[in-house]
Amino acid sequence: MKHIRSLRTQYLLLIVVAIMLLPLSAIIAALVLNIPFEHSKPNTIYQDTIDLENKWHHEASKLDQSSSTTITNHLIKFNQEYALASVFWVDNQGQTRYHSPSLSSLPNQWSAAYTVQFMKRSYNGDPFTVVAFIGKQKNQGFMVLQVPRHLINNERDKISTRSTKIYPFLFLMIFFIFMYVSWVFFSRFRRRLLHLQQAMSQAETAGIPAQVEISRKDEIGQLEQSFNKMIDQLKESRIRERNEEELRKQLIMNLSHDLRSPLTAISGHAYSLKNEHLTEQGKKSMSVILNKVNDLSGLIDNLLSYTLLSAKKYPIHLEEVDVMRVLRQTLASWYPLFERERFTISFDIPDKLLIWHADAEGLKRVIDNLLQNVLRHARSGHYIGVCITNQSIVISDHGPGMTEMSNHKGAGIGLTIVSMLLQQMNLDWDIQTSSTGTTITIFEKK
């Protein structure tokens, strides 16, 4: 049953049927061609020359040792049945004893030379001529049957004419039937493949194609079944991935909240110890502890922000924001840090109004992360520049560039948060980096 449903078997069966139709059509054509047009016409009795010849010889054999009168009467009776034919007979003395009225030109006495000439003239000539010896011995004379060729060839000509028309027609009909069936077969084949291709290219809301209906259990049906099975596996994988992602985000949020309390306590006690009477080495160690606690606190903040942004839970309130005011406030808080690290600071914020449709806290967070990256990874350049150019915020440094390794190289989560925040605020950015520094431009999308 499985092999019968196979496309290969179906097409082979189609070819076999087409091959079998060729001899079958020849048989049908032969049957059609041999059906006489008009059964009622009397000249149909002249069509079978073999039958005529056998019958004439049979009639001659029945006249063995018959008298002249009997032979003549028998020929007259035969001539009545075959009225369009001509008959005569010659006795053993070479005399013409009886002939049809249409044969008035026959000689009364047949010589050997005339007989030979008659035989040569009649062979394959017109009329069709049959010569039979009377009786069982050849010394009783002979009798002759003559039928005009047009009575014999008329129907054959019709059959030949019909065959020249019907055979090409039949073969062309079989050819076009085979081509049409093949076209239908492959059109259906192609239509199902295109339907499967369309199902693969059109994804649903979850980004996964929809399943297709299995119409037949052939090779394409098996492909459709495998495709549906793959879709089921993708959906299960997507559900499992979504559940794992939710679990991971929830775990990160819980850890972030849980780590804040001990870090706050560590930072408070470290700050208290720093004010105690410590040796120089102790004070340096406490400064390192405070810096690392601050770094860890910032990392936790970034991790929590990244988790909230990925889960679409980060609070973003889009409104008209004065970019200059937000930029001045943010730079003011970072100025002492860059000054302490002996950076060359170039903050050029013009006294004019620049309004963006954004979130003030989100924009401040973007600038904080970028300035923090400069302080951590571009410290060797000792330069920070912030200015407004073409309605855009431009932040530049003289560090080793983003392609170089840094002692404070992290997972890049800060820049990822910047990208996600800008996207949610309908802002965009451009990064130009090389071994001589990095320039980041923030601007509104048009």
Side-chain angles (χ1 to χ4, degrees):
M1 194 68 178
K2 180 180 179 181
H3 294 291
I4 295 177
R5 293 171 178 168
S6 171
L7 291 173
R8 180 178 59 184
T9 303
Q10 293 178 16
Y11 191 64
L12 287 176
L13 182 62
L14 179 64
I15 294 176
V16 169
V17 171
I19 294 174
M20 291 178 63
L21 280 176
L22 290 175
L24 184 61
S25 64
I27 295 173
I28 295 173
L31 292 174
V32 171
L33 291 173
N34 284 283
I35 297 175
F37 280 114
E38 300 178 17
H39 296 281
S40 60
K41 286 186 177 181
N43 61 359
T44 57
I45 62 176
Y46 303 102
Q47 300 304 314
D48 195 344
T49 57
I50 296 177
D51 182 63
L52 278 175
E53 188 173 355
N54 290 336
K55 187 173 184 179
W56 189 248
H57 283 283
H58 179 68
E59 294 295 333
S61 65
K62 291 193 302 182
L63 298 173
D64 187 31
Q65 303 300 326
S66 298
S67 63
S68 298
T69 304
T70 302
I71 295 173
T72 299
N73 292 333
H74 191 80
L75 290 181
I76 292 173
K77 184 178 180 181
F78 186 88
N79 207 172
Q80 290 175 351
E81 182 180 355
Y82 293 85
L84 299 178
S86 299
V87 297
F88 67 91
W89 74 286
V90 179
D91 63 11
N92 56 356
Q93 301 299 322
Q95 292 184 357
T96 302
R97 304 300 299 269
Y98 170 79
H99 62 79
S100 298
S102 58
L103 298 176
S104 58
S105 61
L106 290 175
N108 292 326
Q109 184 65 41
W110 288 59
S111 63
Y114 183 82
T115 304
V116 172
Q117 185 182 4
F118 175 80
M119 294 298 180
K120 288 177 65 178
R121 188 174 63 248
S122 301
Y123 182 74
N124 285 336
D126 188 13
F128 172 74
T129 303
V130 182
V131 179
F133 288 105
I134 299 173
K136 297 180 180 180
Q137 298 183 6
K138 301 180 181 180
N139 57 0
Q140 301 181 54
F142 62 89
M143 60 185 197
V144 179
L145 169 68
Q146 290 184 325
V147 180
R149 282 285 180 181
H150 72 273
L151 297 177
I152 297 172
N153 295 333
N154 186 38
E155 190 67 21
R156 290 182 178 177
D157 292 339
K158 291 180 181 179
I159 292 175
S160 177
T161 303
R162 291 163 64 192
S163 63
T164 58
K165 295 180 180 179
I166 196 168
Y167 273 117
F169 174 75
L170 283 175
F171 286 123
L172 283 175
M173 183 178 67
I174 292 172
F175 173 75
F176 283 114
I177 289 174
F178 175 75
M179 293 298 295
Y180 174 75
V181 174
S182 300
W183 180 79
V184 171
F185 179 83
F186 284 106
S187 295
R188 185 182 63 185
F189 182 83
R190 179 176 178 272
R191 186 166 56 250
R192 293 171 64 193
L193 286 178
L194 290 177
H195 177 68
L196 184 59
Q197 180 188 14
Q198 186 179 11
M200 290 180 178
S201 59
Q202 292 182 352
E204 292 182 332
T205 54
I208 299 177
Q211 290 189 346
V212 296
E213 183 181 356
I214 301 175
S215 56
R216 296 177 182 271
K217 294 184 179 180
D218 50 18
E219 287 85 348
I220 300 180
Q222 294 174 7
L223 182 62
E224 292 170 342
Q225 186 176 6
S226 299
F227 176 74
N228 289 342
K229 185 177 180 181
M230 181 189 70
I231 295 301
D232 290 335
Q233 292 175 349
L234 282 175
K235 288 181 178 179
E236 292 177 0
S237 176
R238 187 63 59 86
I239 293 174
R240 185 168 58 252
E241 180 183 350
R242 189 182 299 114
N243 292 336
E244 291 175 354
E245 181 70 14
E246 290 296 328
L247 181 62
R248 181 181 63 82
K249 291 176 181 179
Q250 190 63 39
L251 179 62
I252 292 174
M253 292 177 64
N254 293 336
L255 286 174
S256 299
H257 283 98
D258 293 341
L259 288 174
R260 281 184 181 279
S261 296
L263 280 177
T264 302
I266 293 172
S267 178
H269 287 288
Y271 185 80
S272 299
L273 287 174
K274 185 179 180 181
N275 295 327
E276 297 293 332
H277 298 286
L278 299 174
T279 61
E280 287 298 323
Q281 184 63 35
K283 290 181 180 180
K284 290 181 180 180
S285 298
M286 291 307 302
S287 296
V288 171
I289 291 174
L290 284 173
N291 289 334
K292 295 301 180 183
V293 168
N294 290 332
D295 290 343
L296 185 57
S297 179
L299 180 61
I300 291 174
D301 287 340
N302 283 338
L303 191 60
L304 180 60
S305 298
Y306 174 76
T307 304
L308 292 174
L309 286 168
S310 299
K312 307 295 183 182
K313 296 181 179 179
Y314 194 89
I316 295 290
H317 304 288
L318 298 179
E319 57 185 358
E320 300 295 328
V321 175
D322 185 353
V323 177
M324 299 300 188
R325 184 175 62 82
V326 173
L327 194 57
R328 289 191 187 94
Q329 291 176 354
T330 307
L331 293 177
S333 62
W334 282 91
Y335 192 93
L337 296 177
F338 284 109
E339 191 177 44
R340 186 181 64 186
E341 296 295 332
R342 299 179 181 179
F343 269 64
T344 299
I345 303 172
S346 176
F347 292 164
D348 184 12
I349 311 301
D351 189 14
K352 64 179 183 179
L353 190 65
L354 177 60
I355 303 297
W356 284 356
H357 190 70
D359 178 75
E361 290 298 322
L363 183 60
K364 182 178 181 299
R365 183 64 182 272
V366 167
I367 299 170
D368 281 338
N369 279 18
L370 294 177
L371 294 177
Q372 188 179 45
N373 274 356
V374 173
L375 192 61
R376 286 182 177 178
H377 308 303
R379 187 175 299 178
S380 60
H382 293 284
Y383 174 82
I384 177 67
V386 181
C387 64
I388 300 296
T389 304
N390 297 326
Q391 306 294 312
S392 302
I393 301 174
V394 180
I395 301 174
S396 58
D397 64 67
H398 293 169
M402 292 187 177
T403 57
E404 297 293 328
M405 294 297 294
S406 170
N407 294 331
H408 299 86
K409 191 71 173 179
I413 192 172
L415 292 179
T416 303
I417 292 173
V418 169
S419 178
M420 296 174 74
L421 282 171
L422 291 175
Q423 185 178 5
Q424 291 197 22
M425 291 187 294
N426 198 31
L427 302 177
D428 205 352
W429 64 332
D430 177 70
I431 301 176
Q432 301 291 332
T433 183
S434 66
S435 58
T436 59
T438 300
T439 300
I440 298 176
T441 305
I442 303 173
F443 51 91
E444 266 192 317
K445 289 182 180 179
K446 295 182 180 180

